[in-house]
Amino acid sequence: MSYKSLNLILLRRDEQISGYSAALPLSSVYSRFSLNESYSCGSRRGRMDRTHLLSDQDEVHTGPSCPGQSYADPNTMPDDGATAPPADLMPVIPGYESFGPNVIPPSDFGSAQPQAPSRPPDRHFDIPAISEELAQEAFTNYVSSKCCYGSKPAREMVFTDLQSLNTYRYRLETFTESRTTEWDSEPYNGQVVDGFGVAPAPWSIPVPIPSLFKDCEKAVRVPHTSTVKGCHSCLNLGRSACGRCVNSGRTRCGACSGTGWTQSSERRHCTMCRGSGMIKCHSCGGVGSITCKTCEGQGKLLCFIKLKITWKNNIHVAVIDKRSGFPVEYLDQIPGEKLLTDMAPMVYPVVGFPDSSVNVASESAVREHQAQFSTTCHILQQRQTIELIPITRVHYTWNEKTYIYFVYGTEHKVYTKDYPAKCCCCSIL
């Protein structure tokens, strides 16, 4: 192959090689490169030999399976930047015929049926309304935190009614595990190739479960799926065309902007480029090519199937609204008093709770999660809780007009939208 042809291959790598288009078929590339180059006075001669092309057969694998990458070792795969060749050029592994973002349906882990509670709770979770003193103190602190609110209504108001509103928050958490597979690779440096034996099924590879109800991801190497392939990014050369100098080894001189002359009153040749307007490329050292980032200069890749495991905590929250006029979104970050906590591999919907709306919300959430995740994920654990959020609606009068505000949460926060003494700017807003 001529030196000009090799340069053409390197320059068109990103456009042609990645897509394996008909404009540059691999069959047109010789199976052996031998190029003598020496670097002196702008000319380059050297030697690069590569005998293994992407279209060649896989190398013969010898030696035992790598114990460090067995499926009993669930360490996360390092991300070294290497990418595998296209999947259609990889061997077909039984049980791993399809790849992609779609999760693998879980295996049969047995029919985990939720157990009905022995008896429904008989406690009535009611809390009394706060006192007038506490309601006025919370309102006064709220008004003082607003620079544009006058304090007179908070000091002179007359209470007419305090109503306790039992507001419940139901939460269902379903902790699931899903698995996907894809081809991955790392630079081949002569490490042991685990290519013998039957690859275990995706769901039969044991991976330790992390902390429950916390999102997490891991990637493990599937045993007996390794194979050595030529690097698809550099055509096994170990070097890629330098993008800065476009394989020429020289770039425009920055001192003279490529003119070859100094920018001064006297017309002189540029001392940096000696009047040529070009200097040696700093990215590649004037070679015209750089070490391939995919194979790190090795020219070969150790390819294997990577199993990606995703643990996700799926949360469903329902707030039983009493249509009190209080905005429910204010309760998202407000802690409440936990009345019930139930955790099991598969929880049973809440039954017999004094507020029937909670029972309905629980049954709907449990059915929805089971239908949504049972066929695509492995449900590891479920947890449901019921919280009581104290809310008191306060009616008061000031200047012969009636107003309302709310005191909510254990911290006695205040919400109101019609405070009677605002400055002009707040009233306009």
Side-chain angles (χ1 to χ4, degrees):
M1 171 178 288
S2 65
Y3 177 68
K4 182 178 180 180
S5 299
L6 178 59
N7 281 343
L8 179 61
I9 292 175
L10 292 174
L11 289 174
R12 301 182 64 184
R13 172 176 60 85
D14 291 335
E15 299 177 1
Q16 303 289 347
I17 296 176
S18 60
Y20 299 98
S21 66
L24 187 60
L26 289 179
S27 59
S28 66
V29 183
Y30 296 110
S31 61
R32 182 178 183 88
F33 289 101
S34 179
L35 177 64
N36 295 325
E37 297 179 333
S38 65
Y39 303 93
S40 62
C41 298
S43 65
R44 301 172 299 164
R45 302 186 65 186
R47 183 173 181 85
M48 292 187 294
D49 291 334
R50 291 294 183 268
T51 59
H52 183 82
L53 289 179
L54 189 63
S55 57
D56 292 346
Q57 296 296 323
D58 296 337
E59 293 186 6
V60 178
H61 301 200
T62 60
S65 299
C66 178
Q69 297 298 340
S70 66
Y71 58 80
D73 181 10
N75 295 329
T76 302
M77 295 295 304
D79 185 9
D80 56 6
T83 57
D88 55 354
L89 299 177
M90 305 304 294
V92 178
I93 306 297
Y96 294 87
E97 291 82 5
S98 60
F99 297 89
N102 296 328
V103 296
I104 304 171
S107 303
D108 186 11
F109 295 101
S111 56
Q113 297 296 329
Q115 298 294 326
S118 56
R119 65 184 184 87
D122 53 4
R123 173 185 169 191
H124 287 271
F125 304 103
D126 294 326
I127 56 174
I130 59 177
S131 63
E132 292 186 358
E133 292 76 10
L134 184 56
Q136 186 166 16
E137 179 184 355
F139 199 43
T140 302
N141 294 335
Y142 169 76
V143 171
S144 62
S145 66
K146 304 292 184 179
C147 63
C148 298
Y149 282 19
S151 61
K152 200 171 183 181
R155 291 185 285 104
E156 299 177 352
M157 65 179 178
V158 177
F159 293 104
T160 58
D161 190 19
L162 282 79
Q163 299 176 348
S164 176
L165 305 174
N166 286 339
T167 302
Y168 301 103
R169 179 168 55 208
Y170 172 82
R171 181 192 303 267
L172 174 64
E173 299 173 86
T174 300
F175 188 59
T176 60
E177 176 183 333
S178 60
R179 300 191 174 193
T180 59
T181 55
E182 62 181 9
W183 279 103
D184 202 355
S185 67
E186 63 184 27
Y188 180 62
N189 300 307
Q191 57 266 46
V192 177
V193 181
D194 180 16
F196 292 106
V198 180
W203 280 102
S204 66
I205 301 176
V207 181
I209 300 174
S211 301
L212 293 177
F213 305 107
K214 289 185 178 180
D215 294 353
C216 184
E217 286 187 354
K218 276 188 179 180
V220 298
R221 185 176 304 188
V222 178
H224 314 314
T225 60
S226 298
T227 181
V228 175
K229 289 287 186 180
C231 179
H232 57 292
S233 296
C234 64
L235 280 183
N236 303 31
L237 296 174
R239 300 188 68 81
S240 303
C242 177
R244 182 176 180 84
C245 65
V246 197
N247 204 34
S248 66
R250 300 173 66 81
T251 58
R252 188 176 64 173
C253 178
C256 64
S257 301
T259 62
W261 302 92
T262 57
Q263 304 294 331
S264 62
S265 57
E266 299 182 8
R267 187 175 177 83
R268 296 180 179 180
H269 284 296
C270 176
T271 57
M272 292 293 296
C273 63
R274 297 181 180 180
S276 66
M278 303 292 289
I279 60 173
K280 183 173 67 174
C281 178
H282 297 294
S283 297
C284 62
V287 178
S289 62
I290 59 175
T291 301
C292 177
K293 296 181 180 179
T294 301
C295 65
E296 297 180 358
Q298 300 301 317
K300 299 178 183 179
L301 297 173
L302 177 63
C303 304
F304 51 87
I305 294 179
K306 180 176 68 176
L307 176 67
K308 183 179 179 182
I309 306 99
T310 302
W311 292 277
K312 183 173 179 59
N313 189 32
N314 305 274
I315 302 176
H316 175 93
V317 178
V319 177
I320 312 304
D321 185 18
K322 299 295 183 178
R323 296 183 180 179
S324 60
F326 182 83
V328 178
E329 59 270 15
Y330 279 56
L331 303 178
D332 290 344
Q333 305 299 327
I334 300 299
E337 179 188 354
K338 285 191 176 181
L339 307 178
L340 181 144
T341 300
D342 179 25
M343 186 170 65
M346 195 79 72
V347 298
Y348 195 86
V350 176
V351 295
F353 194 79
D355 192 324
S356 60
S357 300
V358 176
N359 302 327
V360 174
S362 175
E363 182 178 5
S364 175
V366 170
R367 291 183 182 275
E368 178 182 336
H369 272 206
Q370 290 180 1
Q372 182 178 357
F373 302 117
S374 60
T375 58
T376 59
C377 308
H378 180 200
I379 298 179
L380 301 174
Q381 197 76 208
Q382 285 187 310
R383 178 171 62 188
Q384 58 182 349
T385 58
I386 301 176
E387 294 177 277
L388 174 62
I389 303 175
I391 297 179
T392 299
R393 183 167 56 191
V394 181
H395 299 253
Y396 70 97
T397 59
W398 183 74
N399 278 354
E400 299 181 355
K401 292 184 179 180
T402 302
Y403 302 94
I404 296 176
Y405 70 90
F406 296 87
V407 181
Y408 63 98
T410 56
E411 300 176 354
H412 301 127
K413 294 186 176 182
V414 172
Y415 167 78
T416 182
K417 63 179 181 179
D418 57 354
Y419 189 71
K422 298 179 184 180
C423 67
C424 297
C425 59
C426 292
S427 299
I428 295 175
L429 293 176

